Amino acid sequence: MMFKAISWVFLLQLVHGNIVPGLDLKSSYQSLRRMVDVKPIQKLVENFKIKPIQKLVENFEQTDGIQQQASSVLKNFEQTDGSQQATTVPKFCHKLDCPAFTVVKNVKGKYEKRSYPTTHWVSTQLTGIDFTMAQRTMFMKLFHYISGNNSKGEKIAMTVPVIMRLIPGAGPACESNFTMSFYISNKVTDPPAPNDPMVTVTKSKPFDAYVKSFSGYMLTAAQWVKQARQLATDLNGAGESYIDDYFYTAGYDNPLTVLFRHNEVWYMAE
């Protein structure tokens, strides 16, 4: 538990960045797998009937150069009138509590529209120019809350995502408005009141969000803004209706996770 706490505090320095810009490790890995000739291994299995190798071959069997994983995906979703209802915790939540959602629309490779139910969040707000300093200050306030700085002295488990609403300033030297929030698990039936007057607990109404997912370490506000602009371009091109005054960033990973990180930007649907 202490290791996780230290890791999440370390998030203040490393969260949401890109260590190797432009390197798509997933694509590289898939390309390498397509180059692998599994026939010699299959022959070895036939000769020796070695179960571990047989399993390896099964995992690397390919159809048209792409491994088929549809069955495992379908296990995680139930189809209802064209929507997808998550029945298990998404893999990118890393077995931590995270808010349930229903995917009501999926534009492959660009974005998806999610529907979220009523959820509890603990939040704090700050206005400033320095994105990194804002993250650090807000994260510590929320971290102190879940560590027991609340009316019950109750310790609350870390959850994902850590989200931040960003209202960009009018220019480089203008202040932006930041609101960071931690999701409060529905296991916490009566969230305690914060001791810090700058921290609030809110119960959100059900909402829909357009979500763009991507990988990498995100170190600067400019990196997030770039992803949000791309999402806005895709939404505009599709004629979607959304609130464009602000967007949310969402991070799901422990800061010690270097590869295959999962990040998101959200626009609220109108």
Side-chain angles (χ1 to χ4, degrees), residues 67-84:
Q67 184 181 5
Q68 302 302 303
Q69 297 177 333
S71 60
S72 63
V73 172
L74 290 175
K75 289 178 182 178
N76 293 331
F77 294 94
E78 292 178 348
Q79 301 287 344
T80 305
D81 298 329
S83 66
Q84 294 177 327

Side-chain angles (χ1 to χ4, degrees), residues 167-182:
I167 305 177
C174 298
E175 291 186 330
S176 296
N177 184 282
F178 308 100
T179 302
M180 181 178 284
S181 303
F182 287 3

Side-chain angles (χ1 to χ4, degrees), residues 84-135:
Q84 294 177 327
Q85 172 93 37
T87 57
T88 60
V89 176
K91 184 177 180 180
F92 53 75
C93 289
H94 308 298
K95 299 182 180 180
L96 297 175
D97 285 342
C98 59
F101 60 84
T102 300
V103 178
V104 297
K105 184 175 184 178
N106 190 347
V107 180
K108 189 174 181 180
K110 292 186 176 181
Y111 64 89
E112 62 185 13
K113 185 178 183 181
R114 297 178 185 170
S115 183
Y116 285 87
T118 295
T119 46
H120 280 98
W121 301 83
V122 57
S123 307
T124 188
Q125 184 176 335
L126 192 124
T127 300
I129 298 175
D130 191 324
F131 176 76
T132 302
M133 181 62 70
Q135 282 192 116

Side-chain angles (χ1 to χ4, degrees), residues 51-264:
K51 291 184 178 180
I53 300 179
Q54 179 111 40
K55 185 63 177 177
L56 178 65
V57 173
E58 291 172 357
N59 289 340
F60 279 85
E61 284 181 346
Q62 301 175 14
T63 301
D64 296 330
I66 301 175
Q67 184 181 5
Q68 302 302 303
Q69 297 177 333
S71 60
S72 63
V73 172
L74 290 175
K75 289 178 182 178
N76 293 331
F77 294 94
E78 292 178 348
Q79 301 287 344
T80 305
D81 298 329
S83 66
Q84 294 177 327
Q85 172 93 37
T87 57
T88 60
V89 176
K91 184 177 180 180
F92 53 75
C93 289
H94 308 298
K95 299 182 180 180
L96 297 175
D97 285 342
C98 59
F101 60 84
T102 300
V103 178
V104 297
K105 184 175 184 178
N106 190 347
V107 180
K108 189 174 181 180
K110 292 186 176 181
Y111 64 89
E112 62 185 13
K113 185 178 183 181
R114 297 178 185 170
S115 183
Y116 285 87
T118 295
T119 46
H120 280 98
W121 301 83
V122 57
S123 307
T124 188
Q125 184 176 335
L126 192 124
T127 300
I129 298 175
D130 191 324
F131 176 76
T132 302
M133 181 62 70
Q135 282 192 116
R136 180 181 296 114
T137 301
M138 292 187 296
F139 187 95
M140 289 310 301
K141 284 182 176 293
L142 300 180
F143 182 76
H144 287 153
Y145 169 81
I146 67 171
S147 298
N149 186 25
N150 54 63
S151 61
K152 298 179 182 179
E154 181 179 348
K155 293 185 178 180
I156 300 171
M158 189 69 202
T159 60
V160 291
V162 175
I163 66 173
M164 184 163 60
R165 187 185 69 177
L166 176 57
I167 305 177
C174 298
E175 291 186 330
S176 296
N177 184 282
F178 308 100
T179 302
M180 181 178 284
S181 303
F182 287 3
Y183 166 66
I184 299 179
S185 170
N186 56 17
K187 296 175 184 176
V188 183
T189 56
D190 183 23
N195 292 334
D196 187 338
M198 299 300 293
V199 176
T200 59
V201 172
T202 57
K203 183 178 181 180
S204 73
K205 296 179 180 179
F207 64 91
D208 289 351
Y210 292 105
V211 179
K212 172 179 168 60
S213 301
F214 54 97
S215 62
Y217 258 93
M218 306 298 285
L219 293 173
T220 67
Q223 290 174 301
W224 288 106
V225 169
K226 180 180 179 181
Q227 295 291 339
R229 285 176 176 167
Q230 182 59 59
L231 174 57
T233 297
D234 292 337
L235 295 177
N236 292 335
E240 305 283 13
S241 181
Y242 64 99
I243 300 171
D244 63 0
D245 295 334
Y246 57 85
F247 67 90
Y248 284 86
T249 70
Y252 289 81
D253 292 279
N254 184 299
L256 300 183
T257 301
V258 177
L259 303 178
F260 309 134
R261 295 175 66 84
H262 184 88
N263 311 306
E264 296 172 351

